[in-house]
Amino acid sequence: MIASFHALTFVSNTKFATFLTKRVQDHRHFESQSFLQTNRLDQIDTDQYNVLFYELTNLADPMQIVHLTELAKKLKLVIIAQSGHFASFAFEVGAVDFLILDSTASRIDKCFDKLIHLCPIASAAERLSLIHISEPTRLRRIS
C-alpha cells in the first residue's frame, strides 16, 4: 500500500518555490510535482493532482476566491503568502494549511505531516513504515 501525493505548485517567489520544491522532492509521500504556469485555477485537473500549493498575493479577484473554494473541496489546498494577513482567508476557503514565504523546513515538514494525517491511505502507510522500522529493534531486545 503505497500512498503518494501529486502536487501542483503555483508560487511566484523564486526563492521559496525552490525551497519548497526541494522539500517536496525529498519527501517519500510525494510522487510528483508540477508547476502551474499561469494563474488559471479553473483549469486545474483535480483527477491528476491531490495537493495544491498556491501563493496568494491579493484578494482583489473574486473569481480566485470562488475557484480556491471549489478546489479545496476536491484536493488538499495549502495557501502560501508573504505574511500572516491572509491566514484567516486561507482557512475560510478550506485550505488545510497556511505557510508564509519565510517558513522553515520544520514548518513545511509539519505541513506535510498534516497532509499525511488528512489522507487515510498515506496515514496508514506512515504507521506501517514506523512499525517496520521499529520491529528489528524489538527483535534484538527479545533475543
Side-chain angles (χ1 to χ4, degrees), residues 29-48:
H29 284 290
F30 283 92
E31 185 174 308
S32 68
Q33 180 181 24
S34 300
F35 301 93
L36 187 62
Q37 300 302 318
T38 63
N39 194 0
R40 293 298 312 259
L41 294 172
D42 59 329
Q43 294 180 354
I44 293 176
D45 182 358
T46 55
D47 291 329
Q48 183 177 357

Side-chain angles (χ1 to χ4, degrees), residues 59-67:
L59 297 176
D61 180 4
M63 288 309 296
Q64 173 183 243
I65 297 167
V66 170
H67 291 308

Side-chain angles (χ1 to χ4, degrees), residues 55-120:
E55 182 181 357
L56 188 63
T57 55
N58 67 61
L59 297 176
D61 180 4
M63 288 309 296
Q64 173 183 243
I65 297 167
V66 170
H67 291 308
L68 287 172
T69 303
E70 289 304 310
L71 286 168
K73 295 174 186 176
K74 299 175 183 174
L75 48 70
K76 308 294 186 246
L77 174 64
V78 177
I79 298 286
I80 301 161
Q82 178 69 38
S83 71
H85 289 88
F86 292 126
S88 62
F89 168 79
F91 293 109
E92 287 174 16
V93 298
V96 298
D97 209 349
F98 176 81
L99 299 171
I100 56 175
L101 289 174
D102 61 354
S103 293
T104 62
S106 64
R107 178 61 186 89
I108 291 173
D109 289 343
K110 286 180 183 180
C111 174
F112 293 170
D113 289 344
K114 186 182 282 189
L115 290 170
I116 291 166
H117 177 74
L118 293 173
C119 176

Side-chain angles (χ1 to χ4, degrees), residues 9-10 19 24 29 35 49 57 83 93 110 124 128-130 143:
T9 304
F10 182 77
F19 181 57
V24 166
H29 284 290
F35 301 93
Y49 302 101
T57 55
S83 71
V93 298
K110 286 180 183 180
L128 283 176
S129 71
L130 291 175
S143 301

